[in-house]
Amino acid sequence: MAGKIENEASSSSSSSSSRRSENRGESVIVDVGKRRSSCGYCKSVGRTSLSHGLWAHSITVDDYQDLLDQGWRRSGCFLYKPEMDKTCCPSYTIRLKAGDFLPSKEQLRVSKRMQRFLDGTFEGKKPVLLTDESNTFNSAAKQNDSKNSEEKSKEEQSILFFCEQIDDVVHAWGASGEFATGFRFRRASVKKIDHAKKKLIEGFEDLLYSSNISFQIAAALKRSNISEISPESISEKLTDLLNKKGDLSGFTARACKGHINFHSASKQNFSHEGSETSNTSSQAPRSGGAKRICMVKKNACPQKKRRKLEIRLRRSSFDPEEYALYRRYQIKVHNDSEDHVMESSYRRFLVETPIVFVPPTGDDTVPPCGFGSFHQQYIIDGQLVAVGVVDILPRCLSSKYLFWDPDLAFLSLGKYSALQEIGWVKENQVYCPSLQFYYLGYYIHSCSKMKYKASYFPSELLCPLRYQWVPFHTARPLLDKRPYVILSDFANLQNEEPSSQQNPECNLELQHHNPGEEMIAVSDEDEDMMEPDFEGSEEDDSDSETNDVLSLDELKDGNVGNILVGLKNNRYRYKVCVYVYHISIYFQIKIKKPTNIELDFWYNKIKDF
């Protein structure tokens, strides 16, 4: 097994052999064999997590890139790969092509939230102690908690008051005989207009509340085939009735494009300077609470100050400030005890690296920062708030770990750092065209904490057997059925056009079965199927062997379809066995005999081989 792993680590394609001949160091690794441990994902009682390990004294960036593409990862200088078919929680390597990335709405919100925080227009769910003025805001906020709750109660009373007024005039209008008897109107809803979240339009400075009941009434009348009245006409009718009623506590009702708007009787100064309002609470008793809330908040908050974000990429090394942040993160976010978070474990886990650093060369083969292990620091106003531990390799940026300031949890720094790392890959493709992918580590389908990784669209999962990349949307329904799946089997089936045209349900049915379990039984020792054991076959088959033997070029190209498999005193090509297996499973699911058309189709399919 050791020799096999060394071959994997040192194997190279012809396109990259010239680059590896450059002075990029050498790989020195020791095979430590299989290891069992308890699982931190499923929290199983026993030692159900099974993996294979390597200890790397040094490893080149090219060799580590190849190992990543065969399911390996590193923790410090220790390299490991899950035994996918035996471990309790199979871990699939997941990656994303940075140039194809399409951010989701949530990911866009994370970027906008950070931008608002830097602009000073967003303070988060609780005060952030980044400046001295924050302490002033904290104490002022505590003093006004009781007052704010009282003002909020008055605002709710105002909304309820306007709803009742609208309901009264709506029912009065309905009782006038313009509509059929028995028609039921919906109850009105009124919303507070938040001027802090949108630009004030001239002439609407005194607008405080609004209702869209006119649109609901117009839709209800149209559905009932009673009448087709536009929302604009309905809003004008209702505002006229409201103003004639004359009991709006210092407000006037106006119709605007189908909406019923409630304006204060006299205009107010809603400036962003925090100046006092010109109206008193006695002039508008039901709206004074909302005005005072705005006034108190603006006077208590410090003057808006823009924050500066710096992102620095540094080679992996011990930094006391980083270690202090790591301790806070582990203790507050992961609930680790203080005795458990030690400097030695931090160094071993996140600082030490076996990857040989490759300096920039000035050509299009290495980015300006070089290849190797790095710490990406996020600094706001001189304070370290997050650190991303990454490996930059010839074809990817591999994200290893991230720790951040627990006081800034509302900024979703994990998602924000991932977006920044994807952007970094895009930007550096100009200097290194081969650098195209962003690796997010392992994906475990049964672990809810890891499902966020698949939200970076379009992502791919690595097939644990053939090391082919399979789109996540193809792999997801398979992983919903079972934790371990040879993903490339089903990806190849979906690409078979005749099969999908003949039976579109076939691929969906096959998702319930694992080809590796029922087709050919191979023991743990028989990992190499290049030399199958033909049981009971003692005849001289020299002629057929000469015709059926694979050429060296075919083996190098990874063509395993023509490999001969011994089965019941006969030899069959591997690709024929796969098709026969799928046929048998398909008809077992259908619980019926195949039709003549189906038999002819599959017979011709096998005969083509």
Side-chain angles (χ1 to χ4, degrees):
M1 190 64 182
K4 181 178 180 181
I5 294 178
E6 288 174 1
N7 289 338
E8 289 178 355
S10 60
S11 62
S12 62
S13 61
S14 58
S15 61
S16 62
S17 59
S18 60
R19 293 199 304 270
R20 298 191 187 191
S21 62
E22 301 172 1
N23 186 20
R24 291 192 176 182
E26 62 178 1
S27 299
V28 180
I29 59 176
V30 178
D31 185 3
V32 299
K34 297 181 180 180
R35 55 194 294 269
R36 286 186 177 272
S37 61
S38 58
C39 182
Y41 301 109
C42 64
K43 307 295 183 182
S44 59
V45 178
R47 300 167 67 84
T48 57
S49 178
L50 183 63
S51 62
H52 200 104
L54 297 173
W55 183 262
H57 295 280
S58 65
I59 188 169
T60 66
V61 292
D62 300 286
D63 287 341
Y64 186 56
Q65 175 73 72
D66 287 346
L67 288 179
L68 277 184
D69 292 333
Q70 294 180 3
W72 293 81
R73 294 282 291 172
R74 77 174 184 90
S75 175
C77 295
F78 183 74
L79 310 180
Y80 62 97
K81 176 182 180 181
E83 296 283 341
M84 296 287 284
D85 57 339
K86 300 180 181 67
T87 190
C88 56
C89 296
S91 307
Y92 297 83
T93 302
I94 184 171
R95 77 175 185 181
L96 164 77
K97 190 170 185 179
D100 296 338
F101 173 59
L102 298 174
S104 65
K105 291 183 178 179
E106 170 60 23
Q107 291 157 358
L108 291 174
R109 280 195 291 267
V110 169
S111 295
K112 292 178 181 177
R113 188 184 306 132
M114 173 61 81
Q115 189 58 52
R116 289 167 51 210
F117 180 74
L118 297 176
D119 291 339
T121 59
F122 174 66
E123 292 296 330
K125 297 181 180 179
K126 61 180 181 179
V128 181
L129 303 178
L130 288 177
T131 59
D132 295 336
E133 292 85 349
S134 300
N135 294 327
T136 304
F137 172 75
N138 190 21
S139 59
K142 289 182 178 179
Q143 294 174 1
N144 291 312
D145 279 346
S146 58
K147 185 180 292 186
N148 289 346
S149 61
E150 180 183 351
E151 306 300 346
K152 185 175 181 180
S153 175
K154 291 183 179 180
E155 180 180 322
E156 293 174 352
Q157 292 177 7
S158 299
I159 291 176
L160 180 61
F161 169 76
F162 288 124
C163 288
E164 293 174 350
Q165 296 300 312
I166 295 176
D167 288 339
D168 289 344
V169 297
V170 167
H171 286 92
W173 184 33
S176 64
E178 292 191 31
F179 308 110
T181 57
F183 181 77
R184 299 180 62 182
F185 291 97
R186 296 188 60 178
R187 290 185 61 83
S189 62
V190 176
K191 293 184 178 180
K192 174 76 167 60
I193 302 300
D194 189 355
H195 291 273
K197 293 185 178 180
K198 68 176 185 177
K199 185 177 180 181
L200 292 176
I201 304 174
E202 185 177 357
F204 287 83
E205 296 87 350
D206 55 351
L207 173 61
L208 293 180
Y209 299 92
S210 181
S211 173
N212 63 352
I213 185 64
S214 303
F215 294 92
Q216 300 175 15
I217 294 176
L221 292 174
K222 185 175 181 180
R223 286 195 300 268
S224 303
N225 295 323
I226 296 176
S227 175
E228 289 194 12
I229 307 177
S230 66
E232 290 79 4
S233 301
I234 296 175
S235 64
E236 292 175 358
K237 178 69 175 178
L238 294 179
T239 52
D240 183 56
L241 293 174
L242 284 168
N243 291 324
K244 286 181 179 178
K245 190 177 180 183
D247 185 19
L248 296 179
S249 297
F251 282 78
T252 57
R254 302 179 193 172
C256 180
K257 297 182 179 181
H259 292 271
I260 300 176
N261 296 332
F262 294 94
H263 297 252
S264 177
S266 59
K267 292 186 179 180
Q268 308 170 40
N269 180 16
F270 284 91
S271 69
H272 295 280
E273 302 297 329
S275 59
E276 296 183 0
T277 60
S278 59
N279 273 20
T280 62
S281 59
S282 60
Q283 290 175 307
R286 296 186 182 272
S287 62
K291 298 170 195 172
R292 286 197 297 272
I293 290 175
C294 181
M295 181 181 65
V296 170
K297 282 187 176 181
K298 292 179 184 300
N299 287 333
C301 292
Q303 187 177 3
K304 293 176 183 177
K305 177 184 177 182
R306 290 183 59 87
R307 300 179 175 91
K308 180 181 179 181
L309 170 64
E310 298 178 78
I311 302 178
R312 301 173 183 172
L313 188 64
R314 296 182 174 180
R315 288 182 58 185
S316 181
S317 63
F318 180 79
D319 184 332
E321 188 179 7
E322 289 185 0
Y323 173 61
L325 179 62
Y326 171 78
R327 278 184 59 86
R328 290 187 60 218
Y329 171 78
Q330 293 295 132
I331 293 172
K332 291 191 175 182
V333 177
H334 291 286
N335 298 318
D336 289 350
S337 63
E338 293 187 8
D339 296 338
H340 182 71
V341 185
M342 299 180 294
E343 181 180 323
S344 59
S345 62
Y346 168 74
R347 287 178 178 270
R348 186 170 58 251
F349 176 42
L350 296 176
V351 178
E352 296 177 0
T353 174
I355 299 178
V356 180
F357 176 72
V358 178
T361 57
D363 53 16
D364 60 351
T365 60
V366 182
C369 64
F371 291 137
S373 299
F374 298 85
H375 286 193
Q376 184 153 280
Q377 299 179 335
Y378 296 80
I379 302 171
I380 297 180
D381 286 349
Q383 179 178 335
L384 183 67
V385 298
V387 177
V389 181
V390 300
D391 293 327
I392 298 177
L393 305 172
R395 295 192 294 275
C396 75
L397 182 149
S398 175
S399 178
K400 187 176 182 297
Y401 200 72
L402 177 86
F403 50 94
W404 37 267
D405 189 342
D407 292 338
L408 298 178
F410 60 88
L411 289 177
S412 302
L413 290 171
K415 296 177 181 177
Y416 183 78
S417 65
L419 297 175
Q420 292 300 311
E421 289 166 358
I422 294 172
W424 185 94
V425 175
K426 290 182 179 180
E427 293 172 2
N428 282 269
Q429 288 178 2
V430 177
Y431 309 104
C432 182
S434 65
L435 188 63
Q436 296 188 9
F437 294 96
Y438 176 61
Y439 283 53
L440 295 90
Y442 283 139
Y443 172 82
I444 300 177
H445 194 63
S446 58
C447 180
S448 58
K449 293 183 179 180
M450 284 201 176
K451 292 195 174 181
Y452 78 92
K453 296 184 179 182
S455 65
Y456 295 90
F457 180 85
S459 54
E460 300 174 306
L461 297 183
L462 183 67
C463 175
L465 181 64
R466 298 187 182 89
Y467 307 129
Q468 297 175 5
W469 293 98
V470 177
F472 179 78
H473 65 81
T474 300
R476 180 175 181 176
L478 309 176
L479 297 175
D480 286 339
K481 299 298 181 182
R482 58 176 65 241
Y484 173 69
V485 181
I486 301 177
L487 301 175
S488 57
D489 279 351
F490 299 94
N492 293 335
L493 278 177
Q494 290 188 353
N495 293 330
E496 292 287 343
E497 294 182 1
S499 176
S500 59
Q501 292 175 0
Q502 182 73 13
N503 263 306
E505 298 179 356
C506 181
N507 291 338
L508 296 177
E509 300 285 1
L510 289 175
Q511 293 173 7
H512 297 270
H513 296 269
N514 184 356
E517 287 186 357
E518 300 174 358
M519 185 173 126
I520 302 175
V522 181
S523 64
D524 293 341
E525 293 78 17
D526 295 333
E527 293 178 354
D528 189 357
M529 295 182 62
M530 298 302 295
E531 298 180 1
D533 180 19
F534 306 114
E535 298 178 0
S537 178
E538 299 179 357
E539 300 179 4
D540 184 6
D541 292 325
S542 56
D543 293 337
S544 59
E545 287 179 359
T546 303
N547 295 330
D548 293 336
V549 68
L550 295 180
S551 67
L552 183 60
D553 292 337
E554 289 177 311
L555 291 177
K556 286 183 177 180
D557 291 338
N559 183 5
V560 299
N562 291 325
I563 292 177
L564 294 176
V565 178
L567 187 65
K568 294 184 178 180
N569 299 328
N570 290 301
R571 289 179 294 176
Y572 303 95
R573 295 189 185 279
Y574 174 74
K575 56 186 177 182
V576 175
C577 296
V578 171
Y579 272 102
V580 172
Y581 165 76
H582 289 321
I583 297 169
S584 63
I585 292 299
Y586 172 71
F587 289 114
Q588 288 176 23
I589 295 171
K590 291 297 184 181
I591 316 178
K592 68 169 188 175
K593 292 183 178 180
T595 64
N596 291 335
I597 296 177
E598 291 171 328
L599 285 175
D600 289 342
F601 169 78
W602 289 110
Y603 174 77
N604 292 328
K605 191 71 177 176
I606 295 174
K607 188 172 67 173
D608 291 340
F609 296 117

